Amino acid sequence: MKLLFDMFITFAKVGVMTFGGGYAMLPILQREVVEKKGWATEEELMDYFAIGQCTPGVIAVNTATFIGQKKKGVIGGIFTTLGVVFPSLIIISLLAGVIEAFSHIEIVQNALAGVRVCVCVLILNAVVKLFKKAVVDKWTTGIFIVVAIGALFLPVSPVIFVILAALTGIVLKSLGGKRE
Amino acid sequence: MLFLRLFLEFFKTGLFAIGGGMATIPFLYEMSDKTGWFTHADLANMIAVSESTPGPIGVNMATYVGYITGMNAGGTALAFLGALTATIGLITPSVIVIMLVAAVLKKFSENHYVNSAFYGLRPASTALIAAAGITVVITNLLPINDIIEKGVLAVNWQGLILAAALWVLMNKVKFTKKLHPIVFIGISAVVGIIFSMN
């Protein structure tokens, strides 16, 4: 029980210190989990992080579940995962309450209008970064264009595109596999 | 019933959003269109708050959407329950998938089919985020319907200039390139107030 509590607290700490996306979490995990607690080795952490990126869901959550389950099985995975989301629950709930309470004030609306412009640029930057890693040849360029146009103009759930893209990847690699 | 739907919507998001927090954005836009729980403008505010507070972005956004949905349904009392429901919904698929993958750890990352699937998934996920980004730009900077009706006056010129300035600061200026997004969000808020952007 004491270990589970320690795991919850350690990952809550990791959650608080992760500012931004999952990638910001890696150096913090190295310090808290590998160096301080010794719950995983450096290599294991890199493996978990790599697999956390190619399994569904938020990378930070996936990595937390991995370390927890390695240390203490299913229940361990649940405790570390709850730990990593705990700060978000508290902080966002408090902030959302405050923002909603003041959102009718003109000065707050003006500030939020400015902030929304910034969000456009932040998403653009994220897309450019992902694009460089994901779009590597003519096939991936084709997938990008088809999905982008489809998502903009067809009333189809993103789920459909995700499933079709995975199947397309498997088909393309199977056909081209012999050449590589 | 609302909370069951909220859980299921986020379960779906957690299961199909691949490649980090930004990948949840297309699913949240779809959710907004389908359920009307929150507006596109709400969503843009949520993205900004999620970027500028501690915690993984994807988790922060789930908590925020859940909070707003709960609050619209029954005030502050239900808001926290909504936040909890959405967040648990988002992380449940991760926990299940990771438990399964952990059993076959090495084989999973070296599996031909897994790698091939991701060859197709990565550009698709990027395209979905790009499409969501275009929707955000249209809502905030280039309102197409208004432009057709009223001409170029409907373009948010102040916003476009701010966006261009931010892009240069984030990508081209050596001294500001490395700064955390929260700095740019703060600057944008101040600019918004000074120029009464709303």
Side-chain angles (χ1 to χ4, degrees):
Chain A
M1 198 61 218
K2 205 169 159 237
L3 176 63
L4 287 175
F5 185 70
D6 192 17
M7 286 159 81
F8 179 88
I9 295 293
T10 303
F11 275 89
K13 241 165 97 182
V14 172
V16 172
M17 290 187 282
T18 302
F19 232 91
Y23 300 96
M25 189 187 183
L26 197 54
I28 299 157
L29 278 174
Q30 270 160 349
R31 197 176 60 222
E32 295 296 322
V33 174
V34 177
E35 285 166 29
K36 281 197 192 161
K37 300 288 179 186
W39 288 338
T41 66
E42 190 88 12
E43 289 75 36
E44 281 171 333
L45 184 63
M46 295 314 291
D47 278 353
Y48 296 159
F49 205 74
I51 296 168
Q53 287 176 61
C54 43
T55 42
V58 180
I59 299 169
V61 172
N62 294 347
T63 312
T65 312
F66 243 125
I67 296 167
Q69 89 84 34
K70 185 235 166 192
K71 192 69 200 155
K72 205 92 179 82
V74 173
I75 189 82
I78 292 172
F79 267 78
T80 49
T81 308
L82 291 177
V84 85
V85 302
F86 180 71
S88 296
L89 266 175
I90 304 299
I91 295 168
I92 295 287
S93 293
L94 289 174
L95 261 178
V98 171
I99 291 171
E100 286 305 304
F102 292 101
S103 63
H104 60 281
I105 300 170
E106 206 191 334
I107 194 166
V108 177
Q109 287 183 350
N110 288 335
L112 289 174
V115 165
R116 287 200 291 271
V117 173
C118 191
V119 168
C120 298
V121 186
L122 288 172
I123 296 179
L124 174 75
N125 280 341
V127 169
V128 170
K129 212 189 261 174
L130 290 168
F131 189 92
K132 283 179 189 156
K133 272 192 219 157
V135 181
V136 289
D137 52 26
K138 62 178 185 205
W139 293 114
T140 42
T141 310
I143 294 172
F144 178 87
I145 293 169
V146 169
V147 175
I149 292 173
L152 275 174
F153 296 106
L154 299 176
V156 175
S157 167
V159 173
I160 306 294
F161 293 112
V162 168
I163 293 171
L164 288 178
L167 292 175
T168 308
I170 292 171
V171 170
L172 285 175
K173 281 282 176 180
S174 305
L175 294 177
K178 292 172 202 111
R179 273 184 277 125
E180 278 166 32
Chain B
M1 200 55 215
L2 171 72
F3 287 93
L4 181 65
R5 261 191 89 190
L6 190 61
F7 179 86
L8 290 176
E9 282 294 331
F10 275 95
F11 187 92
K12 192 175 88 182
T13 305
L15 190 57
F16 289 101
I18 288 161
M22 282 290 185
T24 62
I25 294 175
F27 292 88
L28 298 181
Y29 270 93
E30 194 211 5
M31 213 185 288
S32 163
D33 291 337
K34 210 169 65 182
T35 65
W37 289 336
F38 49 93
T39 64
H40 284 191
D42 283 339
L43 203 45
N45 294 340
M46 290 173 192
I47 297 169
V49 173
S50 301
E51 285 258 17
S52 18
T53 45
I57 297 173
V59 177
N60 289 350
M61 297 220 283
T63 307
Y64 206 139
V65 168
Y67 188 94
I68 298 293
T69 307
M71 200 180 66
N72 290 340
T76 323
L78 290 185
F80 188 72
L81 187 61
L84 192 66
T85 307
T87 308
I88 301 287
L90 181 80
I91 64 179
T92 304
S94 289
V95 173
I96 296 171
V97 170
I98 296 288
M99 297 293 176
L100 295 175
V101 167
V104 289
L105 180 60
K106 279 283 172 214
K107 284 185 208 140
F108 181 81
S109 54
E110 286 156 15
N111 184 285
H112 171 70
Y113 290 104
V114 171
N115 287 325
S116 308
F118 272 88
Y119 173 77
L121 277 174
R122 270 183 234 111
S125 184
T126 309
L128 288 173
I129 303 172
I134 291 172
T135 313
V136 182
V137 169
I138 289 173
T139 319
N140 294 297
L141 298 173
L142 300 165
I144 288 178
N145 289 334
D146 290 357
I147 293 171
I148 293 167
E149 224 172 86
K150 299 176 208 148
V152 287
L153 279 175
V155 174
N156 179 357
W157 292 109
Q158 285 179 332
L160 276 180
I161 293 167
L162 174 60
L166 287 168
W167 186 83
V168 170
L169 288 175
M170 285 184 207
N171 295 294
K172 296 291 164 200
V173 181
K174 211 177 160 192
F175 299 107
T176 52
K177 234 157 76 165
K178 297 257 178 243
L179 291 174
H180 192 275
I182 194 171
V183 177
F184 301 109
I185 291 172
I187 294 171
S188 309
V190 173
V191 173
I193 293 170
I194 294 173
F195 292 96
S196 302
M197 278 179 76
N198 195 41

